[in-house]
Amino acid sequence: MPRTLVFDIGQVLLRYDPHLAYLDLLPDHAMRTHFLTEILPPEWNLEQDRGRDWREAEALQIAKHPDHADLIRAFRANWRKMVPEAIAPNVAVLEDALAAGIPTYAITNFASDTLAEADTIYPFLTRFAGRVVSAEERLLKPDPAIFRVFLERYGQQAEDCLFMDDSRPNVDAAAAMGFSVIHVAPATDLRAEVRRFGFAV
């Protein structure tokens, strides 16, 4: 049975929705969806999670879409609106695990500067025994290399770890390396799932 908990952050501990940054700027849902799929697609933002500088990222898209320059810059400027709240039941699992002395870590796809902001808004993010952050490693889940960084840095064995993530590819990659896994969906009762693996939380 696993002895260590390993959390993702976005959509596991924090609600994340880029649409929230554009509700006032692009009130029409169809226009907002078009912008966030065609002008600033998720793949663009993922490169900031890999460590690309925001100014470089903005310049790249502004060169392609000069008429949308202000809206492109608004993505980073309004980032805090994208993470409006913690997912309270899941954070309670984290806090109870910490209180019980269960080794607790995070592996996250996150830009360094926005994670630093999130740390100030949600201090529980600073309480892990350790974190592996994609932007700092220049690696993204589901690349197995980022999981190897975690295992080697913190002296863990995959079979001793329970990994929780909202992304099916990330969960599948961890499972292929020997982690126990939970695919976290909005309806997931995370406490019940974690208890199923023998954790007293």
Side-chain angles (χ1 to χ4, degrees):
M1 297 290 281
R3 298 174 295 180
T4 297
L5 295 176
V6 186
F7 287 83
D8 179 30
I9 293 177
Q11 297 296 78
V12 174
L13 297 173
L14 297 183
R15 182 183 171 206
Y16 172 74
D17 184 355
H19 281 256
L20 299 176
Y22 289 93
L23 293 178
D24 295 331
L25 297 170
L26 291 170
D28 180 80
H29 179 77
M31 291 180 63
R32 191 167 63 247
T33 299
H34 173 80
F35 180 79
L36 290 170
T37 54
E38 302 299 328
I39 308 300
L40 293 185
E43 295 79 11
W44 172 82
N45 185 48
L46 202 58
E47 290 306 310
Q48 283 72 268
D49 289 351
R50 198 195 299 271
R52 180 171 63 185
D53 181 80
W54 284 100
R55 288 169 295 182
E56 177 187 348
E58 290 169 353
L60 180 67
Q61 294 309 98
I62 289 170
K64 296 177 183 177
H65 308 283
D67 293 345
H68 293 86
D70 289 344
L71 288 173
I72 290 167
R73 294 189 184 99
F75 190 98
R76 177 63 183 91
N78 291 350
W79 180 83
R80 288 196 181 199
K81 294 181 180 180
M82 301 181 195
V83 286
E85 61 188 359
I87 301 173
N90 296 356
V91 174
V93 173
L94 166 64
E95 291 177 336
D96 289 349
L98 290 166
I102 297 168
T104 306
Y105 296 86
I107 305 173
T108 182
N109 286 351
F110 226 117
S112 296
D113 59 327
T114 51
L115 181 57
E117 285 191 32
D119 286 345
T120 66
I121 305 167
Y122 304 105
F124 63 82
L125 294 176
T126 67
R127 298 184 61 202
F128 294 104
R131 301 189 301 199
V132 174
V133 180
S134 60
E136 296 172 2
E137 309 302 331
R138 301 282 175 152
L139 294 168
L140 291 167
K141 295 177 294 182
D143 186 340
I146 197 168
F147 295 99
R148 286 195 290 270
V149 168
F150 164 74
L151 295 172
E152 293 168 7
R153 180 170 299 161
Y154 297 112
Q156 299 290 327
Q157 300 297 317
E159 58 268 25
D160 293 332
C161 298
L162 174 59
F163 175 67
M164 296 155 278
D165 200 296
D166 68 301
S167 163
R168 173 59 69 183
N170 295 349
V171 166
D172 289 347
M177 296 185 68
F179 288 77
S180 298
V181 297
I182 298 171
H183 180 220
V184 181
T188 298
D189 182 340
L190 191 61
R191 186 178 298 276
E193 290 297 308
V194 168
R195 285 177 172 171
R196 190 167 61 83
F197 286 92
F199 289 94
V201 294

